[in-house]
Structures are given as structure tokens and as C-alpha cells.
Amino acid sequence: MRSTPVLRTAVAAALPVLALAADGRSTRYWDCCKPSCAWPEKAAVNQPVYACNAQFQRITDPLAKSGCDGGPAYSCADHTPWAVNDDFSYGFAATSIAGGSEASWCCACYELTFTSGPVAGKKMVVQSTSTGGDLGSNHFDLNIPGGGVGLFDGCTPQFGGLPGQRYGGISSRNECERFPEALKPGCYWRFDWFKNADNPSFSFRQVQCPAELVARTGCRRNDDGNFPAVSPPSQQPSTSSTSSSSSTTQQTQPTSPGGCVAQKWAQCGGNGWSGCTSCEAGSTCTKVNDWYSQCT
């Protein structure tokens, strides 16, 4: 992904620093490579970010070679963005933050408030799953399937490749139909919730990682509690579709981990999902595909 797949031991140098609001730069990509934060000893965390095999199933060996270097490890399909409501989304990014290093970025979470384009005023909380020397200062390269592979292309060895330009990716929602089923929801998100915004500007601050993000990556920083908690705004019906017309509805499941209940428009199931599987009253768990279900 966004850094060389070698072990680094600079963890001890990473000291908790409260991040104040700053302005950032956004781009987009999806290169299918093993996340750079999936390697061990990158930061003081409970565990590295999950990586997956070519079939999008989580693997347990953190030393598995990246698919971009001929190995079996790739990005997981659930490391893609999803909408909570019309004004709030979760997602993931490769990051480079001024004044820090890989040891302070890996698995950190940030609240982005977009300030330009069709998404101005919307918010998104992302977790850093990769870093890299090709990124500028305060640069967030959002993980969006169909955003272009960029410098590295692990998608071709994984499943034959993705349509679109190397930088920038595809140009229309219809092209998402040519993606693997597991990546379609994240591709639709770009044209629905994100309104196909082209590298919008934003302000950002570091926040505690929401459980919804940690459930997908498995990674939480040891200093996560030093940062303010953030909650999505009150749930409102979303007009931004995150599924294709072939979506089906399944009954709300009777039990969830710890008895938790997912709010409307939140994820409620999918392969590898370990979060809430029951939906709040008035909504049901709608299956988009084997990797993603949402309370609707």
C-alpha cells in the first residue's frame, strides 16, 4: 500500500500528542495491497490491522507478504466507506499528518468535516490503515474502490484488476457493476453519499476510534483514550443508496454480540462482521451481499 512492507521499530518514539483542528487534503485510491499498518511493530497498538486473502477472508499471519509483492495478503473488502446517514460516514484512509510519523498515524482515527464541493458540511470519521512517503502533509488518501490503484496494483493479481484510470479510477456509478461483489458497496458510496466529489478540502481533528471502525480492522491504538470521543449525528433516513437494485432483505437477527443494537443505516452483518447484528425498532437488516448488510 502506502509504505514499504518491512517491519519498523520506531514505536517507542511515538508519544501521545493531542491533535488540534487543521486543514487537510484528500485524494482517493484502492490498490488492493496489504495495508502498511497490517505489519507488526508499526505502532503501539493492540494488534496490526487485519489483512485478507484473495477471497477477502481474514488471514492470521501478520508477516504474510503483500499481494503487491507476490504474496497472499491483500486489503479486506470491509475496509471501505459506508454511510450512517446523509451527513455522516465511516471509512479508512492512508495518511500523512504534519509533525508525526508512521508510529503516530497507524490505526489513529480522524474526524473530517468537508469544506468544499458537493459534500461541504458533511462529516466522516476515518481510521488510518496505511501510510506512505508519496503523500503530502496532512494528506488523506481515502480508501474507495474504483478510486484508482495509484502507484501499486494488487488488484490484478488478486482478481484480474479493476476498470478505470490508474489515477482517479472510474467515472460513473454504472462501472461499479463490474467490480467484485464485496467491493460494490464501497464503490456505490462514492457516487451516492460522496456525490462523486473530486478531492474535496476539509478540516480534521484526531478522535477516539469508534467501535464500528475497530470491528473491521481489529486495531486500536494504546493512546486512543487521549482523544475526544465522537458520535454520529442523530439518525435520519438516508436518501443515499449503498446497494444495487438486486439487494434483498433478511429478518432482523435475534441476538447480537453483547446484546447491542445497530441504529438505522448502520452495518448489521456480512462475512467477518463482529459488530451488532440486531437493528433498532422499525428497521430490518438488509443484505447487500455476502460481505455487507445494513439496517434499513
Side-chain angles (χ1 to χ4, degrees):
M1 260 194 176
R2 294 307 182 198
S3 67
T4 53
V6 296
L7 303 187
R8 299 187 180 180
T9 57
V11 175
L15 297 176
V17 177
L18 291 178
L20 302 178
D23 293 328
R25 173 195 174 200
S26 71
T27 49
R28 61 181 182 268
Y29 84 109
W30 185 267
D31 61 13
C32 298
C33 301
K34 175 182 179 179
S36 64
C37 297
W39 293 92
E41 301 183 18
K42 286 297 188 79
V45 296
N46 64 323
Q47 67 171 58
V49 169
Y50 289 129
C52 286
N53 62 20
Q55 291 73 45
F56 300 112
Q57 299 168 327
R58 289 176 183 170
I59 59 178
T60 58
D61 180 9
L63 297 179
K65 193 174 182 180
S66 173
C68 285
D69 297 312
Y74 297 91
S75 292
C76 295
D78 59 358
H79 294 178
T80 56
W82 77 99
V84 175
N85 59 35
D86 283 343
D87 299 313
F88 188 90
S89 278
Y90 287 122
F92 306 90
T95 60
S96 176
I97 312 299
S101 67
E102 189 170 49
S104 61
W105 304 329
C106 271
C107 299
C109 286
Y110 303 89
E111 180 187 58
L112 315 183
T113 301
F114 294 104
T115 55
S116 70
V119 290
K122 293 191 175 192
K123 291 181 181 290
M124 184 177 187
V125 174
V126 300
Q127 185 173 35
S128 176
T129 53
S130 285
T131 63
D134 61 323
L135 302 180
S137 179
N138 290 345
H139 188 166
F140 288 69
D141 207 2
L142 300 176
N143 292 18
I144 305 176
V149 296
L151 286 177
F152 309 102
D153 179 10
C155 301
T156 297
Q158 184 181 7
F159 48 74
L162 289 172
Q165 300 297 313
R166 188 176 189 94
Y167 294 95
I170 62 175
S171 57
S172 71
R173 192 182 193 276
N174 290 339
E175 293 176 90
C176 297
E177 295 297 327
R178 299 165 56 189
F179 283 43
E181 285 296 321
L183 298 181
K184 286 181 180 180
C187 184
Y188 295 138
W189 176 91
R190 171 183 164 191
F191 297 95
D192 296 338
W193 189 91
F194 202 55
K195 300 183 180 298
N196 199 24
D198 190 20
N199 302 339
S201 58
F202 57 88
S203 61
F204 71 95
R205 60 172 182 147
Q206 189 166 351
V207 297
Q208 288 182 29
C209 284
E212 292 87 343
L213 295 177
V214 176
R216 295 190 177 205
T217 65
C219 187
R220 188 182 292 277
R221 294 185 59 85
N222 295 350
D223 64 359
D224 192 55
N226 292 342
F227 300 95
V230 63
S231 298
S234 59
Q235 306 298 300
Q236 298 293 332
S238 174
T239 58
S240 298
S241 171
T242 57
S243 63
S244 68
S245 59
S246 61
S247 297
T248 59
T249 300
Q250 61 187 28
Q251 294 298 318
T252 301
Q253 301 181 34
T255 59
S256 290
C260 66
V261 175
Q263 295 180 317
K264 194 171 184 178
W265 310 116
Q267 184 175 2
C268 55
N271 288 350
W273 175 247
S274 59
C276 302
T277 55
S278 294
C279 297
E280 67 180 357
S283 62
T284 57
C285 198
T286 301
K287 180 179 179 180
V288 176
N289 56 42
D290 288 344
W291 290 267
Y292 187 82
S293 297
Q294 185 180 37
C295 292
T296 60

